Amino acid sequence: MLTLADVVAMPTLGQRVLAGAAGLDRVVLWAHSCEMPDPWSWIDRDELLMTVGLGLPRTPGEQTAFVRKLAAAGVAGMTVGDDGMAPPLTPELLQEAERLGFPVLSTDHAVPFVVVARTVALANEGQTQQLQLISRVYRALNDVPANPARSLASMEKIFGVRLAVADTATGQLVFTGSLDPDPGERPGLRHWPLATTRPSELLVDEDSAHLLDSFTLAHLQQVVTTAVNTVLTTAALTAARGEHLLSGALAGHLPSRALDQQAEALGLSGDTIQVVAASTARPYDDLLSVLSLAPLPHLPLRTPDHLVCCIRSGDRTAALGLLEPLSDRIGLSPVFDDLTGAATAVRRAVWTLACARDGDVLAYEDVRGSVLPSDATTATELAQAVLGPLLDDTDRGRRLLRTLDAFLAHDRSWAATAEHLNIHRQSLGYRLQQIEVATGRNLKKSQDLAELWVAVTAHRTTG
């Protein structure tokens, strides 16, 4: 017979024990929703009361009497919807439930009561076919750690549907299953959100979606969520290893042999390497996600201004196909042989990115007519000569440099700059005056503005 302990143990039923755990071995023959002030008149022995709390009294004495009467009527237990409609459960109610061994549970607001009710009904009315199906679903979880894609294929067989999972932010497919829709075809599919570490949604073709009722859908979402989170976690760990390796290569902390071994372990071997630098107004994790889920071997490095990735030069077309729709502009370094050349390549890719206009995919070799200095040493000298005290490692220097960068990036719009920096226009005016004094440049003169823009851009790219 089904017990309350069995109900609590099923993750898709969203049950949390608040009090009375000693009574979890009680048999549950039925689960009934009731909002009457006297549910013991409507709920029979060994039945579970499900309530959003409309009939639940508010005072400690009344709540204690409420629990006492439920226990005296032989009710199996009570579960209260966690959606804020019920009055607060008082310590006196919970203490009385503990004393009586009367289970008081909480149902997660995302779980409909009908899912709880149908689970209890299926377990106690001999309708075993659907429960056997759910058992097969959870056995398929054993495949998730080793092969998440195979677990999704198992779900399709068990439920008789065609499935896919898409990243909500980027639209990229995380899993395709037997369903591999183009973005234009997805409006014709059924969509259900998944509680994954990155927002994603379950896609089911309309022809088979009718096979999923609320009961089976809840279990399917639970298992698919587990599979997707496994993939996302693996991708995040691989990206973190790549970022650590690229940071070490740029800092010169690792010998070339160690760089080669770790790069090979991450899939960057057997080809020349190239650096892609991308700028976007989106979160850079979106760009990182599309590369990781492709999956395309890469070593990423995120900064506030751009994402840098080392890729195999043979993957250039595939990487650009993924990054272009999400990026404002992209810069490419020349190809190089191993990670000992990563520092130079990264500087050149970021330099090319600074020269690119919105919508451009620009290669280092194709940069023509740039007003920026042609090498990092000259750029550093120029930035120091023009910006002077703004480069001091002080709060004042950093604040003024950030202000000047934002002012130029927003085309000298006071309103946009003040909003970006979250300061008052008067504070912005005061800072701009300080910048003019510190640099000896006039922000109203074209020549001075040009020098400041070149210097700020040069400093950003070399930094």
Side-chain angles (χ1 to χ4, degrees), residues 130 133-134 136-137 153-163 208 211-213 215-221 223-224:
Q130 203 163 15
L133 179 146
I134 299 304
R136 291 174 61 200
V137 167
S154 298
M155 296 304 102
E156 292 188 316
K157 278 187 178 180
I158 291 170
F159 288 98
V161 295
R162 297 171 62 230
L163 307 174
S208 59
L211 299 175
L212 298 176
D213 57 25
F215 177 75
T216 53
L217 176 62
H219 292 279
L220 175 61
Q221 285 176 300
V223 176
V224 173

Side-chain angles (χ1 to χ4, degrees), residues 45 67-75:
R45 175 174 293 276
V67 167
R68 195 177 297 127
K69 289 180 180 179
L70 286 173
V75 175

Side-chain angles (χ1 to χ4, degrees), residues 81-94:
D82 183 18
D83 49 16
M85 298 180 66
L89 301 184
T90 63
E92 289 80 1
L93 179 149
L94 300 178

